[in-house]
Amino acid sequence: MADKTVKELADMVSKTAIAVQQQLVDAGLPARAEGDLVTELEQEKLVTYLKQSHGQEEKRRISLKSKTTSTARVTGSSGKSKSVNVEVRKKKVFEKPDPEKMAEELAAREQAMIESQARAAKDAEDRAATKKKSEERQAATLAAMRASLGSSKKSDDKNDDISTSVVVKKGGKTTIEVKPKEQPKKKVTATKPKVETAVERKAREVREKEEARLREIETETRRTQAEEAQKRTLEQMRKMAGQYTDQPATEVRKDEPLAEGLVGDALEESFEKERREIKRGTSTTSARGRGRRKNQDEREIKNRKNGLRSSQSSQHKFEKPVEKIVYDVEISEQITVSDLAQRMAVKAREVTKLLMKMGEIARESDMIDQATASLIVEEMGHNPVPVSDTKVEDDLQDAVDERSSNVQTRPPVVTIMGHVDHGKTSLLDKIRETKVATGEAGGITQHIGAYHVKTARGVITFLDTPGHAAFSAMRSRGAQATDIVVLVVAADDGMMPQTEEAIDHARAAGTPLIVAINKMDKPSADPDRVLNELTAKEVVSEDWGGDTPMARISAKTGDGIDELLELISLQAELMELEAPLDGPAQGVVIESRLEKGRGPVVSVLVKKGTLKQGDLVLAGEYYGKVRAMTDEHGKRIQSAGPSIPVEILGLPETPAAGSEFLVLTDEKKAREVADFRTNRERERQLERQNAMRLESMFDQMEQGNVSYLNIVLKTDVRGSLEALLAALNELSTDEVKVRVISSGVGPISESDVTLAESSEAVLLGFNVRADATARRKSDSANMDIRYYSVIYGLIDDVKAAMSGMLAPEHREKILGVADVREVFRSSKFGAAAGCMVVEGTIYRNKPIRVLRNDQVIFTGQLQSLRRYKEDVNEVRTGMECGLAVRGYDVEAGDKIEVFEIQEFARTI
């Protein structure tokens, strides 16, 4: 991009020049007029700032993946060759360099180079000065030695070809070196050998004696230095051995090991290696080589005569422990036999044998309780340490609490509770000046919502809970996560079942209660009736001598809302609500849902500390870093303090509503606690499934076949899922049971449709829809997906489906009764009864009963029904008729009862 003016940039992005100027200033660039130029580098800085402000980060790393597939021939164990597909995957990561970091690294490299050059120059100067001082000392020592040689040496200075130098070495020792004096090179000519005179011979002998004396001095000096160095080495090794073995260093004798522990083992190993090398060298070479190496080894051994020696090189390294090791064994409430044996460092069969002696048979994988495990540990001589199953979570909570500080006053958390359609959300809308209730399905709250409102009396956080009977778990969570409960009661409706339930939840949580009598603007409002009904539940108003504040309000007109806020503020001041502002955040999960394009969205309420973007959050069984954080209006924020509700993104799954969340710094600890909670939940689920299988098996054995209504349920949030699962389970009867084979949060997927098809289940969606793939799958399978937005409709439809699975009810209805007056017998037709119809109508094709003395003695069908000589289908009351019973002979005085069985559909 080329340099452009501010005006040109504004035209490119379709904004005003003033807006572009403001963006330049916000990006940290100098202010300029419309006609001023903006360079390419400044344009890049501006684009980077705008991306960061909109939540977009520049991708500085690119990963390239490649995959190649080939075929190789290998030979199997049977000797036959076969083809094997070989897949090679490669991954290359390219990272864009950061100019600022590169500049910093270059500056640091230049600074390091300058410092290294300065150090090198200083070292050279120090070496030169040291060399100069050494030469001066050598010259002074040589002059002193020459002065001490006497007059004999002075006479032979010209012919003397030996020069003596004294070198002062490090450590304060003097070494005398004898060097032949350098003679100037002369031209060699062919002359006769010179005959040595007596004077020259005497001088030569003196020189030889002096050389021998100097060599002896040098040899003695070297030997003394070697002995002292060897002593220092031994002293250092004894000190090291004392440090490793925690024992005071003692004098080393020739018949004792040099050291113990790690140092001793290392020395023993080195001595053994040397001996092996010596032995190998003397046995694998020629005779000449053997002799040379033998002499060399003897010289080395002779030189090491006063050196390191060991007398335990031939002994075994392992030493059996003298005393038994006693362990402190941590025992949880349930522990397997194999884990218990591993903690005591014994084999599992030893623990199994001990259990059998105690009269209990268990395998290695079986669980035993804490008391039995403690007896086992004590019997085997160890110390049992009982611990709780939640020790990992308790330790984590204690560690988080220790880091909290800076305690300050926090805003109160207020929960609005009450019966459905009593005006809870309308009251909150009036306080917040919003219209949430109009957007609810059917005007009924289906989810739990959290809002914080700035009033004249400070910030107040409100939790709005559903009032429907199915949302009892939501109301319970709202009462436990709050400081104050505001109970909304309609003045024209009075106490209702969910009102009483809300009072019970508030009492169970120990939360103060404030009553708001709503709908006072209606003509049918009767607040005295509400007060009387509340008094029956032991909720007495302050006006009547009780301790419960009450306010008469109207969410429609706004009357009495200021009085309600005043009561909330006074109650919060009395409670002295405080929370640490600094340190890791802690709180509770209000709600969680799965959104397309954003993933799991979790609504949380911060109780302690400050939650920041980028923190590592552990919520229930899942953990992850906060990628983004918004308030209840959808506005991006960077942090949230105590009593502030926010929505966070970054967790891998939707945690259960009501779970506590913590901010951690150690990802390893977060993973450990999350895995522990996942395993615990899996074990509980398996236990519930096993119990349900046993109960269902026994029920089927006792009651016979039971019909099941299989359901696949998907909801928008976790709270609604819990409420619906509880409501559906309550619908089960002895004959028809509801079985939810799959449930979850998020849209209906293709796998849900496949599962419903294979298990013949009903697919239900609550405030969610199926994606395109799932719709195509359901259309091809001719499966109906039902969508609901109000909980009433879903529960009613499930009831109707269950009612259709019930066996119909059979009811018996008596149609007519005839008295047998006389029995006529004929050889052609058999016995024929002459009857009088005394009640109802006698039908020919209906079942009958024969009653004698008002007791049923036969049930069957009529063979014929006649009036006079004609066959008829029915005979009414007061008429005579003749009839014959198929397969039975009636007698005079019997009664013929005609009846029918009617079927009636049953409902739940």
Side-chain angles (χ1 to χ4, degrees):
M1 61 180 71
D3 296 346
K4 294 182 176 61
T5 62
V6 176
K7 181 64 175 176
E8 291 175 350
L9 289 177
D11 295 339
M12 288 177 59
V13 297
S14 301
K15 287 189 176 182
T16 61
I18 299 175
V20 176
Q21 291 174 351
Q22 183 62 35
Q23 290 178 351
L24 289 171
V25 174
D26 294 340
L29 300 175
R32 58 198 70 201
E34 295 183 4
D36 293 345
L37 288 175
V38 181
T39 63
E40 294 183 5
L41 182 60
E42 291 175 340
Q43 292 178 30
E44 292 180 358
K45 289 184 178 179
L46 177 61
V47 172
T48 303
Y49 166 74
L50 292 176
K51 287 183 178 180
Q52 293 178 354
S53 63
H54 289 83
Q56 301 179 1
E57 296 183 359
E58 184 181 2
K59 291 186 178 180
R60 310 193 64 85
R61 181 176 295 180
I62 301 175
S63 299
L64 300 180
K65 297 181 181 179
S66 62
K67 181 174 69 174
T68 58
T69 305
S70 60
T71 304
R73 302 286 295 181
V74 297
T75 303
S77 58
S78 61
K80 296 181 180 180
S81 61
K82 59 181 180 179
S83 299
V84 179
N85 293 329
V86 180
E87 184 176 280
V88 181
R89 298 179 181 178
K90 295 182 180 180
K91 180 180 179 181
K92 293 183 179 180
V93 180
F94 300 93
E95 186 172 359
K96 182 178 179 181
D98 191 353
E100 297 180 358
K101 290 186 178 179
M102 292 178 63
E104 292 177 359
E105 292 178 358
L106 183 60
R109 196 180 297 113
E110 293 178 353
Q111 183 66 23
M113 187 178 297
I114 294 172
E115 292 178 357
S116 62
Q117 292 176 357
R119 286 196 299 269
K122 186 176 180 181
D123 293 342
E125 293 177 359
D126 294 341
R127 285 196 299 271
T130 303
K131 185 176 180 181
K132 185 176 180 181
K133 290 181 181 180
S134 177
E135 291 176 352
E136 291 176 356
R137 286 197 299 270
Q138 290 180 7
T141 305
L142 182 61
M145 291 186 65
R146 286 178 178 175
S148 64
L149 291 177
S151 58
S152 60
K153 187 174 181 180
K154 290 181 180 179
S155 61
D156 298 330
D157 282 342
K158 294 181 181 181
N159 299 325
D160 192 3
D161 57 352
I162 298 175
S163 64
T164 306
S165 63
V166 180
V167 180
V168 180
K169 294 186 177 181
K170 187 176 181 181
K173 302 299 179 180
T174 304
T175 301
I176 302 174
E177 298 180 358
V178 180
K179 299 181 180 179
K181 185 175 180 181
E182 295 181 358
Q183 297 292 340
K185 293 183 180 180
K186 297 181 180 180
K187 190 174 181 180
V188 180
T189 58
T191 58
K192 294 181 179 180
K194 186 179 179 179
V195 180
E196 185 180 16
T197 62
V199 176
E200 292 176 349
R201 184 172 62 254
K202 186 177 180 180
R204 180 174 56 78
E205 292 177 354
V206 171
R207 287 195 302 272
E208 290 177 354
K209 290 180 180 179
E210 183 66 21
E211 289 177 0
R213 186 177 67 83
L214 291 175
R215 281 194 296 271
E216 290 179 359
I217 293 173
E218 182 179 6
T219 304
E220 183 65 23
T221 302
R222 289 180 178 177
R223 186 181 63 79
T224 304
Q225 290 179 349
E227 290 179 353
E228 291 180 354
Q230 188 176 17
K231 289 180 181 179
R232 289 195 299 271
T233 303
L234 291 173
E235 185 67 24
Q236 292 177 359
M237 288 187 175
R238 284 193 293 106
K239 289 181 179 179
M240 291 173 62
Q243 291 177 0
Y244 282 107
T245 57
D246 296 332
Q247 295 179 358
T250 57
E251 184 179 358
V252 178
R253 296 184 299 181
K254 295 182 180 180
D255 57 344
E256 292 182 353
L258 177 67
E260 298 178 358
L262 299 176
V263 178
D265 293 342
L267 293 175
E268 296 291 345
E269 185 178 354
S270 64
F271 291 145
E272 186 68 24
K273 184 178 180 180
E274 290 177 0
R275 276 189 288 274
R276 287 198 302 269
E277 291 177 354
I278 293 172
K279 186 175 181 180
R280 188 184 304 113
T282 57
S283 61
T284 58
T285 57
S286 62
R288 185 176 180 181
R290 284 199 300 269
R292 188 185 302 113
R293 188 172 287 105
K294 182 177 180 181
N295 295 334
Q296 183 180 358
D297 294 339
E298 288 177 356
R299 286 196 301 271
E300 290 178 359
I301 295 173
K302 186 176 180 180
N303 291 336
R304 294 199 304 267
K305 184 176 181 181
N306 297 325
L308 303 177
R309 308 191 86 188
S310 175
S311 61
Q312 291 188 350
S313 60
S314 60
Q315 296 184 7
H316 202 279
K317 299 298 184 298
F318 176 75
E319 294 182 0
K320 184 178 180 180
V322 179
E323 297 181 357
K324 179 183 177 181
I325 301 177
V326 179
Y327 296 99
D328 292 334
V329 183
E330 294 185 352
I331 306 172
S332 58
E333 295 179 3
Q334 294 286 334
I335 187 172
T336 61
V337 175
S338 58
D339 289 344
L340 183 62
Q342 186 178 6
R343 295 180 185 182
M344 293 188 295
V346 298
K347 294 183 178 180
R349 62 170 173 263
E350 300 294 333
V351 180
T352 306
K353 290 179 182 178
L354 196 54
L355 283 170
M356 293 177 67
K357 291 180 181 179
M358 297 172 60
E360 197 169 327
I361 298 177
R363 295 173 297 180
E364 295 183 7
S365 59
D366 290 346
M367 303 286 292
I368 57 177
D369 57 6
Q370 194 176 70
T372 305
S374 300
L375 292 176
I376 294 294
V377 173
E378 292 178 352
E379 188 70 20
M380 302 193 76
H382 300 285
N383 300 326
V385 181
V387 297
S388 174
D389 283 343
T390 59
K391 182 177 183 298
V392 178
E393 296 174 315
D394 296 341
D395 294 343
L396 179 64
Q397 186 66 46
D398 295 340
V400 172
D401 292 339
E402 290 177 358
R403 291 180 289 170
S404 301
S405 59
N406 191 11
V407 178
Q408 295 183 4
T409 303
R410 65 173 178 85
V413 179
V414 181
T415 298
I416 309 295
M417 301 180 71
H419 191 69
V420 62
D421 200 24
H422 275 201
K424 300 182 297 299
T425 307
S426 300
L427 171 62
L428 192 55
D429 286 346
K430 192 65 178 179
I431 297 175
R432 300 173 56 226
E433 296 180 355
T434 57
K435 295 182 179 180
V436 176
T438 57
E440 296 281 359
I444 301 170
T445 302
Q446 309 280 339
H447 308 141
I448 185 170
Y451 320 92
H452 72 282
V453 182
K454 294 182 180 180
T455 64
R457 299 167 181 81
V459 178
I460 301 176
T461 300
F462 288 97
L463 297 180
D464 186 15
T465 61
H468 190 266
F471 295 100
S472 176
M474 284 191 185
R475 289 190 293 273
S476 177
R477 285 197 303 271
Q480 293 174 359
T482 189
D483 301 317
I484 302 171
V485 172
V486 174
L487 180 64
V488 178
V489 185
D492 61 341
D493 204 6
M495 289 279 291
M496 300 298 289
Q498 273 63 59
T499 309
E500 298 179 1
E501 183 189 90
I503 295 174
D504 295 336
H505 285 317
R507 286 176 177 171
T511 308
L513 187 67
I514 297 177
V515 177
I517 304 176
N518 195 16
K519 301 184 180 181
M520 289 297 297
D521 56 317
K522 285 192 173 184
S524 59
D526 189 1
D528 293 335
R529 172 196 168 192
V530 175
L531 294 177
N532 289 326
E533 293 177 348
L534 289 173
T535 304
K537 287 292 293 182
E538 299 181 0
V539 179
V540 184
S541 172
E542 292 180 345
D543 298 338
W544 289 14
D547 57 354
T548 304
M550 295 190 183
R552 302 183 181 186
I553 64 172
S554 173
K556 186 175 181 180
T557 62
D559 295 339
I561 292 181
D562 292 337
E563 180 185 356
L564 178 62
L565 296 177
E566 183 70 26
L567 292 175
I568 293 173
S569 301
L570 292 175
Q571 186 66 40
E573 291 178 3
L574 293 175
M575 297 176 68
E576 298 180 356
L577 302 173
E578 294 181 345
L581 185 62
D582 299 336
Q586 304 179 45
V588 63
V589 176
I590 300 173
E591 196 61 271
S592 61
R593 64 185 184 276
L594 191 64
E595 290 188 5
K596 187 176 182 180
R598 300 179 68 191
V601 181
V602 185
S603 301
V604 299
L605 177 64
V606 182
K607 286 187 173 182
K608 300 179 181 178
T610 302
L611 180 62
K612 302 177 182 178
Q613 185 172 343
D615 286 347
L616 181 64
V617 173
L618 171 65
E621 306 165 16
Y622 309 104
Y623 69 95
K625 287 190 176 181
V626 179
R627 294 189 289 105
M629 187 162 50
T630 59
D631 59 8
E632 65 267 23
H633 303 292
K635 183 180 179 182
R636 293 284 293 270
I637 58 176
Q638 299 296 324
S639 62
S643 301
I644 300 299
V646 292
E647 289 185 350
I648 61 174
L649 304 179
L651 293 180
E653 294 291 341
T654 54
S659 304
E660 293 185 355
F661 81 89
L662 300 172
V663 171
L664 306 178
T665 57
D666 188 1
E667 186 174 357
K668 181 179 178 182
K669 192 68 175 177
R671 186 185 305 109
E672 179 184 356
V673 177
D675 293 342
F676 168 75
R677 291 177 176 175
T678 302
N679 294 333
R680 182 179 60 185
E681 185 63 27
R682 186 184 298 112
E683 291 175 359
R684 291 177 179 175
Q685 187 174 2
L686 289 175
E687 290 178 0
R688 288 195 298 267
Q689 290 178 355
N690 293 333
M692 290 175 62
R693 288 172 185 169
L694 289 175
E695 291 176 0
S696 61
M697 183 175 65
F698 288 134
D699 291 342
Q700 290 180 5
M701 291 173 61
E702 293 177 359
Q703 302 176 6
N705 294 329
V706 179
S707 300
Y708 287 94
L709 177 61
N710 297 330
I711 292 177
V712 176
L713 179 63
K714 298 299 287 290
T715 63
D716 55 343
V717 296
R718 276 276 183 179
S720 299
L721 178 62
E722 294 176 2
L724 285 170
L725 290 176
L728 292 175
N729 288 331
E730 292 178 356
L731 296 178
S732 298
T733 62
D734 295 337
E735 299 181 24
V736 180
K737 295 185 180 297
V738 177
R739 182 164 57 188
V740 181
I741 60 176
S742 177
S743 61
V745 176
I748 298 173
S749 61
E750 183 181 5
S751 60
D752 297 328
V753 178
T754 304
L755 178 61
E757 181 183 6
S758 61
S759 59
E760 298 181 356
V762 181
L763 190 53
L764 307 178
F766 185 74
N767 285 329
V768 294
R769 295 294 182 268
D771 54 22
T773 308
R775 286 196 297 270
R776 287 195 297 269
K777 180 69 175 177
S778 62
D779 293 340
S780 62
N782 196 17
M783 178 178 293
D784 185 21
I785 302 177
R786 294 182 175 271
Y787 303 110
Y788 301 92
S789 58
V790 181
I791 194 171
Y792 295 116
L794 189 147
I795 294 176
D796 291 342
D797 285 357
V798 173
K799 282 184 178 180
M802 293 176 64
S803 300
M805 299 177 66
L806 289 174
E809 181 180 359
H810 295 84
R811 298 178 186 176
E812 184 180 293
K813 182 180 180 182
I814 298 175
L815 302 178
V817 179
D819 290 339
V820 179
R821 300 292 176 89
E822 190 68 36
V823 177
F824 304 96
R825 299 187 182 274
S826 171
S827 58
K828 184 177 180 181
F829 300 104
C835 303
M836 172 65 73
V837 180
V838 295
E839 182 180 347
T841 303
I842 302 297
Y843 294 92
R844 179 178 181 179
N845 298 324
K846 300 291 185 182
I848 66 163
R849 293 191 187 97
V850 178
L851 283 73
R852 185 172 296 166
N853 299 326
D854 293 332
Q855 291 183 2
V856 178
I857 60 175
F858 178 78
T859 301
Q861 296 284 337
L862 291 178
Q863 184 175 2
S864 65
L865 178 64
R866 292 188 177 187
R867 178 166 171 78
Y868 299 106
K869 294 182 179 182
E870 296 178 358
D871 290 334
V872 294
N873 291 326
E874 61 182 31
V875 180
R876 299 181 182 277
T877 305
M879 294 182 180
E880 294 179 349
C881 64
L883 56 85
V885 178
R886 181 177 300 169
Y888 189 80
D889 294 335
V890 297
E891 297 179 359
D894 293 343
K895 290 183 179 181
I896 307 299
E897 185 179 81
V898 181
F899 65 94
E900 68 175 355
I901 297 176
Q902 298 177 346
E903 291 186 357
F904 294 91
R906 298 168 58 192
T907 58
I908 295 178

